[in-house]
Structures are given as C-alpha cells and as structure tokens.
Amino acid sequence: MSSIVWRIEHFDEIDSTNTWLAARALEGAPEGLVATAHFQSAGRGRLDRQWESPAGASLLCSILLRPDVGPDQLQLVVACVALAARAALVRLSGVRPALKWPNDLVVADAKIAGLLAEIVSVDERLAVVVGIGVNLTHEGPAHVRSTSVRAESGVTISAPALLDILLDELETRRALLDNAAGQRRLRDEYQRALETLGQMVRVDRAHDVVVGRARAVDEYGQLIVVVSGEDVAISVGDVVHVRPHEAVEP
Ligand code: BT5
C-alpha cells in the first residue's frame, strides 16, 4: 500500500479544526489532510461538550482518514489514532498514558488527551475526521480531573513536534485498518492499552444503566461488559460515562 501524503493546514485561530476539516472532506479533500490550530474558539468534545485550551498550550489537530471500514467500525479508527498519539507521547516525553474507552488518554485517571471522531460521509469509502486535543503545558478546566505532558514529565514538547511523531506512528497503524488481519492486530494493541478492561464499569445509557466488568473489545471496537454472566456490547453512542473507580458491583 502506498504511504499517505500528509498535508498540514495551520490556523492561528479557528472555531474548531474538526468543523473546518469536515467541510473540506465534503468537498472531496484526500485522505491525509490535517488541520492544526494554536487556539480554538469553539473546540468541541462529544455530545456537544466543549474542549477548552488556552492558546498554544496543546496539540489541537484533526486528521482526515478514508479507511476501508464500515461506519459501525468507527471506534477502530478512534483506536488507531489514540494508539498513535500514545506511542508518540512515549517517544517524546516518556509519559505513557492508558487509553480509557471510548476516547480518552489518561494518566492515573486524569485526562491528558481526548478524541472526537466524526463520520462525514459514507460514499465509496468512509470519510472520517478524527480530532485530538493533547494537553501539553496546561491542564483542562479546573472542575475536570486532567493533567498535561509537562505536569507528568517536566518535559515541554511543542505541538508541531508531537504532530510529526503522531503522524509517523499513525502511518503504520492506518494501513492495518484496510483488512481483517490488520484490524485484529490493531484490536490486540488496543486491548493491551485499555485500562478499562478488567475494571468494573458503569455505563449510563438513554434508557438504562449497565454495571459490570469490562472484558474485551469486539471487532467493531464495542466494549464487552459482563453483566450477571452475560456479555453486553456497549457502543459509543450509548455511553454517557464510564468511571471504573466509581462503579459498584450489581
Ligand atoms: C473529548 O470529548 O474528549 C474530545 C476532545 C476533542 C478535542 C479536539 S481538539 C481538535 C479537534 N477540534 C475540535 O473541535 N475537537 C477536537 P469528551 O469525551 O466529550 O470530553 C469533553 C469533556 O472533557 C468536557 O466536557 C470537559 O469536562 C473535559 N475537558 C475539556 N477540555 C479539556 C482539556 N483541555 N483537558 C481535559 N479535559 C477537558
């Protein structure tokens, strides 16, 4: 498979790199287009939540991917970028965050990075914009349990340096998405990095609450939770929160 040509568009200030890149994806921009920003005035999290970061304190970027997967495998695409970000942080700073399903990188339960993946179109191939914010020199809002690379390691890394290594790490993992054997390898790496597995979790869904032990991730990236001896598959759309340390045995 030919390697991806990354093309980076940088903004001093923008509303949201995800919003900008989704518009380019709809216009037919090729895989590998990346948007970065020094500051976002309307950075977005999932479910209409906000992503907040002072100017220049984070890596704020969005990456356009067009992998050969179905919309129901979006979580594998998230895993791909999350694992690349984790590997890049290890290489540059020595900080080794765990992954928290579905979309967080955490150090001792404090959020150091978050991902937001959005399907833009499902024509010939899926067009997915994956945004990631990584706290480099500043933590998240005061009410949130969060941390930064500098707080964890004393190391100050620049956003362009982290992006460079992240894209390098993403290139190999991205190729795995296009076939079943590769997806299995990716899922194995994902499961090893997920601190959620083995933990008691509590998932608030629209109409019920699931409490059980997280056992695995299936081929779609769904979290398999064992409830009263039965496997229950949790898809991302269902999750309001997963807090291993607050969960109670049913
Ligand atoms: C996320 O959502 O964690 C996805 C974050 C994605 C941000 C990137 S930045 C580049 C790209 N462009 C965008 O507009 N977005 C992406 P979620 O799991 O819903 O978490 C959001 C919650 O995290 C908020 O409600 C806060 O509680 C918390 N939060 C906000 N800013 C934070 C920060 N800097 N560090 C840690 N936690 C934060």
Side-chain angles (χ1 to χ4, degrees):
M1 172 186 161
S2 58
S3 57
I4 298 179
V5 178
W6 303 111
R7 190 159 66 80
I8 300 168
E9 292 276 344
H10 178 73
F11 299 88
D12 280 342
E13 180 172 345
I14 196 169
D15 51 357
S16 154
T17 53
N18 261 46
T19 305
W20 182 85
L21 195 56
R24 300 296 81 72
L26 280 175
E27 291 164 3
E31 170 158 36
L33 183 59
V34 177
T36 63
H38 196 65
F39 178 70
Q40 290 183 132
S41 54
R44 293 190 286 114
R46 295 178 308 131
L47 310 168
D48 286 333
R49 293 191 286 239
Q50 288 182 337
W51 187 258
E52 297 170 40
S53 174
S58 320
L59 170 64
L60 303 169
C61 79
S62 300
I63 302 166
L64 174 57
L65 298 174
R66 294 182 182 273
D68 195 4
V69 299
D72 50 3
Q73 289 175 301
L74 179 66
Q75 189 59 20
L76 281 188
V77 185
V78 174
C80 196
V81 178
L83 288 167
R86 176 179 189 256
L89 284 171
V90 172
R91 271 170 68 179
L92 275 180
S93 69
V95 175
R96 183 183 295 273
L99 269 49
K100 184 172 176 183
W101 195 91
N103 71 322
D104 290 350
L105 272 68
V106 296
V107 179
D109 230 20
K111 187 157 167 168
I112 196 165
L115 287 95
L116 172 67
E118 298 178 296
I119 295 175
V120 178
S121 67
V122 287
D123 298 339
E124 257 167 71
R125 281 223 176 183
L126 207 63
V128 185
V129 169
V130 186
I132 179 163
V134 183
N135 298 331
L136 297 177
T137 56
H138 200 278
E139 295 154 32
H143 65 278
V144 178
R145 187 147 182 218
S146 60
T147 189
S148 69
V149 174
R150 189 158 68 188
E152 294 299 326
S153 64
V155 176
T156 303
I157 55 179
S158 74
L162 181 58
L163 179 64
D164 194 41
I165 306 293
L166 191 158
L167 295 178
D168 185 49
E169 291 286 343
L170 182 57
E171 185 132 3
T172 40
R173 290 175 180 82
R174 159 66 191 86
L176 298 177
L177 280 174
D178 286 339
N179 61 75
Q183 290 173 11
R184 271 195 299 279
R185 275 180 54 193
L186 196 61
R187 183 155 60 110
D188 287 347
E189 187 188 4
Y190 188 36
Q191 296 196 112
R192 284 195 302 274
L194 267 180
E195 66 148 30
T196 316
L197 298 189
Q199 305 264 11
M200 289 301 295
V201 298
R202 178 191 146 100
V203 184
D204 291 347
R205 303 198 287 188
H207 302 294
D208 62 356
V209 176
V210 173
V211 179
R213 190 169 300 281
R215 182 178 70 74
V217 167
D218 71 9
E219 66 266 39
Y220 301 102
Q222 297 184 111
L223 190 66
I224 304 299
V225 177
V226 182
V227 183
S228 310
E230 300 281 325
D231 280 356
V232 177
I234 307 291
S235 72
V236 179
D238 294 331
V239 176
V240 176
H241 74 230
V242 177
R243 288 204 182 119
H245 305 301
E246 290 173 12
V248 259
E249 202 96 35

